Amino acid sequence: MIATKTVGLLDQTTKPTYSEKEATSLYRSWLNDLRHNLRRGTSIPTEATFTEIYLLLQDCIRSLATVVGGPADRFGAFKTEHSPFFIRWTGPLFDELCTLEAPLAALLVLCTRANWMDVTTPNISLIPMDLAELSNDLLDQTDGIEDTLKTTPYFHLKYISALLSQPQTILYELDNHPEVFMDLVFVRWLLHTNHKVILCCKSSPVLNDVTLSDLKTIQTHASFTWLKNAIDDLRVKIVTAGPATVGKYIYEASDAYKSAYSTATVQILKGQGSFQSQPPAYNYKKPVIYLTGNRAPIIRYSMKKLFGTRKAPTDDSIFCYLKGTFDE
């Protein structure tokens, strides 16, 4: 079942649009070989972690690309499509957030809700307008934020606010490219409130996750002069975690990531991949803030195992959870 589902999803997201008959034939052979190897009795699908399986699949995809060609960043077109809107939008949004009496609540809601912006989202081209509509609703009606807090069982605003009341060095692990613009609004606010930030991104393309190249491109825009200045004066640093996969593969973490983790006093983990590669069932040496959605079946299953069926977050709810200072 795992092998069939995995290969089916891969076929949806990696299928090349080649006119050359030879390239198409090579792709079909590659997919059939992958299906065969996953199903032939190997322990890979049942004993490997989600991150390890995806690391294997990502290497297979890169190997295929070297043979049949195609863009290195398969979702680069979506990034190009969405970027202009967000580049224009983030500056005014930050200014408006700063007028709020308590901007942290709105920032956490928006950053966590932005995690829905990945390649599995139906009508991905509508993502910018969806987030803009949500932010407008939250900012126009402050009781909308209060309603979110009341109806979300794991939204640790009080504890996160207390943690961030003192200057911290925050290791902020990014996820999808569209949502990075919302993350950067949060980062700008963190800098504004005297924190330092280490941004962790992917070294090379993985689905539509934000890469080092993406962050370098974002810095070139006038709207993000503040980011370039913060990097220049060492208030912001950018690292990659090691092999490019969903979440991170901690067994081959880069030296830069290890140094960043040692330096940081707080971690912020975005996305379902980070939830799986650094699960909150363990005790860590420093506080960890999880910002993700209870969306995928494997996440929902994990939440029920972690909190119990009756206390688990509701499906598709926001999960804004502080691990380390206390545990519910």
Side-chain angles (χ1 to χ4, degrees), residues 62-136:
R62 290 197 189 97
S63 298
L64 171 71
T66 62
V67 177
V68 298
D73 190 346
R74 299 194 62 82
F75 294 92
F78 288 115
K79 296 178 180 181
T80 301
E81 176 186 350
H82 294 153
S83 291
F85 172 86
F86 286 112
I87 288 167
R88 294 192 303 270
W89 176 66
T90 52
L93 177 62
F94 174 78
D95 293 338
E96 191 165 357
L97 282 164
C98 286
T99 66
L100 298 179
E101 183 177 344
L104 180 59
L107 282 162
L108 290 172
V109 170
L110 289 171
C111 280
T112 309
R113 187 60 184 82
N115 185 238
W116 269 250
M117 299 195 298
D118 64 21
V119 295
T120 64
T121 304
N123 302 317
I124 192 171
S125 62
L126 300 179
I127 280 173
M129 299 309 298
D130 289 345
L131 189 62
E133 183 177 352
L134 174 65
S135 65
N136 288 334

Side-chain angles (χ1 to χ4, degrees), residues 240-254:
T240 58
T245 183
V246 291
K248 58 180 174 289
Y249 191 51
I250 60 173
Y251 301 104
E252 296 182 13
S254 67

Side-chain angles (χ1 to χ4, degrees), residues 251-273:
Y251 301 104
E252 296 182 13
S254 67
D255 289 341
Y257 179 84
K258 292 177 182 178
S259 175
Y261 183 82
S262 297
T263 301
T265 55
V266 177
Q267 262 185 306
I268 294 179
L269 300 181
K270 289 297 298 284
Q272 298 173 108

Side-chain angles (χ1 to χ4, degrees), residues 176-193:
N176 300 315
H177 177 271
E179 74 181 88
V180 73
F181 290 98
M182 191 63 246
D183 293 322
L184 290 175
V185 173
F186 190 16
V187 169
R188 190 175 181 183
W189 181 83
L190 290 170
L191 297 175
H192 184 66
T193 50

Side-chain angles (χ1 to χ4, degrees), residues 163-203:
L163 179 65
L164 298 181
S165 64
Q166 299 295 323
Q168 306 285 353
T169 298
I170 300 167
L171 176 55
Y172 197 122
E173 303 194 24
L174 302 166
D175 192 25
N176 300 315
H177 177 271
E179 74 181 88
V180 73
F181 290 98
M182 191 63 246
D183 293 322
L184 290 175
V185 173
F186 190 16
V187 169
R188 190 175 181 183
W189 181 83
L190 290 170
L191 297 175
H192 184 66
T193 50
N194 299 318
H195 302 286
K196 293 183 178 180
V197 180
I198 306 170
L199 294 173
C200 180
C201 61
K202 296 294 187 292
S203 56

